Amino acid sequence: MSSLIFLLATTFIGVFLADILFSMGIHRRIGRPLRPLLKSAGLPEELSIPIVTGIIDSRAEHAIVSSLAKNGTLSHREVVCYSLISLPFGGSRLMVQYVLPVAVAGLGPFIGAIYVSLSVLGLFIGMAMGIVGGRIFLAKNQRNITLEGEIASKKVDLRRSLLKAALMAKNIGIKYIIVIMILSTLIYLGFFDYLKNLSTPLARAFLVSPAALPITVTYAVNSMAAILMAGESIKSGIVTWKDALVALFMGRIIFAIISEFPRHSFPFYVSIYQPKLAMKLTLALIFYTFVSTPLLALAVKMFPVA
């Protein structure tokens, strides 16, 4: 019961504070330093505006970029490189707003901080890929573009922030209770002992401990539930924290293939961009996931603390 109360409290407070901070316009302070970053990749400096807009609203961000692509101001290659470079900004917002509260509550402050830090590092790997791609595939001549306008930030609305935090806490609480019930049943039935013998070859193929394989499989269905399952598995002594984090990261690959991109990313992109460009953006994210995930799993294995 104490774990559930702590989970609900940290989730509610984290989501509430994050929504307030972003509504106050914290994104405006980071716009100007982004211009040299874009210039290093051969992209127009004015794209710093959609990047900071994406910290608040990703759909508004991509609406700006899409309009530039439709009128020929940006090429498809430039849009793809931009999408990778912008990952740490909109992605970090999602990490702070949704993943961090659940990770800290489910995995504990230390392990949760490691998981979130490495996840953010993965976003910067995507940024590096975008910069390298820009330097290789984009024209060397720098140019300026004109944007029609800038998306204004939302006003602080305490009621909206409270409702958003309460809804998130409710959803996470329900998932947590379900995970505890499933995990307790599996332990009682001796499922994990059976799994160790049955799934060793498959687990090794994914660099995952046999006992941690349920975490990987769960991540493929629901990432938040997998984080909660990983935390309970660590507390119960079923897996080490390193094996649990590796299982979470490797689950990203399966999740990307069967759920994230077919059900979320491509439908999101195709609702804003032309189908051909939407497919290119989706494939770029798949490639980024396949490159970054093994590196994050390796970083966990090499972590100096046992």
Side-chain angles (χ1 to χ4, degrees):
M1 179 60 71
S2 60
S3 297
L4 176 60
I5 294 174
F6 180 67
L7 172 68
L8 295 176
T10 54
T11 299
F12 181 87
I13 295 172
V15 173
F16 176 73
L17 291 179
D19 192 70
I20 292 295
L21 288 174
F22 288 122
S23 297
M24 291 172 62
I26 193 173
H27 60 296
R28 292 180 177 176
R29 302 179 183 180
I30 64 174
R32 189 167 295 176
L34 295 177
R35 297 191 173 189
L37 174 68
L38 293 165
K39 186 177 180 180
S40 69
L43 290 170
E45 296 178 0
E46 289 79 4
L47 288 178
S48 61
I49 292 177
I51 285 183
V52 296
T53 301
I55 298 177
I56 299 298
D57 188 345
S58 59
R59 186 170 291 275
E61 170 197 6
H62 287 285
I64 296 173
V65 178
S66 175
S67 65
L68 295 172
K70 287 179 181 178
N71 62 28
T73 303
L74 293 179
S75 68
H76 283 198
R77 288 184 177 183
E78 287 176 320
V79 174
V80 170
C81 290
Y82 166 84
S83 70
L84 292 173
I85 290 173
S86 65
L87 280 175
F89 302 97
S92 294
R93 172 180 65 84
L94 296 177
M95 289 289 176
V96 172
Q97 197 165 6
Y98 297 110
V99 179
L100 179 61
V102 180
V104 171
L107 299 172
F110 176 70
I111 301 174
I114 293 175
Y115 175 69
V116 173
S117 298
L118 289 175
S119 297
V120 172
L121 175 62
L123 299 175
F124 280 94
I125 293 175
M127 173 190 281
M129 293 171 61
I131 293 174
V132 172
R135 297 183 71 88
I136 294 175
F137 297 110
L138 300 184
K140 304 303 179 184
N141 55 318
Q142 190 72 22
R143 72 187 198 284
N144 295 324
I145 62 175
T146 302
L147 297 179
E148 293 297 329
E150 185 175 347
I151 305 298
S153 64
K154 299 180 294 184
K155 294 181 179 180
V156 175
D157 186 337
L158 292 178
R159 183 174 181 275
R160 184 202 64 234
S161 298
L162 286 170
L163 290 174
K164 192 173 186 179
L167 181 61
M168 183 65 177
K170 173 188 173 183
N171 292 337
I172 292 301
I174 293 173
K175 291 177 182 177
Y176 182 80
I177 293 173
I178 294 173
V179 166
I180 293 297
M181 294 173 61
I182 293 175
L183 190 60
S184 299
T185 303
L186 292 176
I187 294 174
Y188 177 77
L189 295 175
F191 175 77
F192 293 101
D193 293 332
Y194 173 74
L195 190 63
K196 287 181 181 179
N197 297 324
L198 183 64
S199 62
T200 298
L202 179 60
R204 287 176 178 172
F206 280 92
L207 304 177
V208 176
S209 164
L213 191 60
I215 299 173
T216 298
V217 175
T218 301
Y219 195 106
V221 179
N222 189 299
S223 58
M224 295 299 182
I227 294 173
L228 299 176
M229 177 176 284
E232 291 304 312
S233 297
I234 295 170
K235 294 174 186 177
S236 302
I238 297 173
V239 298
T240 66
W241 71 268
K242 286 188 176 182
D243 286 339
L245 294 194
V246 169
L248 287 172
F249 284 126
M250 297 310 295
R252 290 174 37 169
I253 294 179
I254 304 175
F255 182 77
I257 296 173
I258 70 173
S259 182
E260 172 61 23
F261 298 110
R263 299 181 183 179
H264 301 288
S265 294
F266 180 71
F268 171 78
Y269 284 136
V270 83
S271 69
I272 301 174
Y273 296 94
Q274 295 175 348
K276 185 177 180 181
L277 180 53
M279 179 59 70
K280 290 180 180 179
L281 290 169
T282 302
L283 292 175
L285 282 179
I286 292 175
F287 179 65
Y288 146 73
T289 301
F290 273 82
V291 170
S292 63
T293 298
L295 295 177
L296 297 178
L298 181 62
V300 173
K301 289 290 188 181
M302 296 176 63
F303 205 81
V305 180

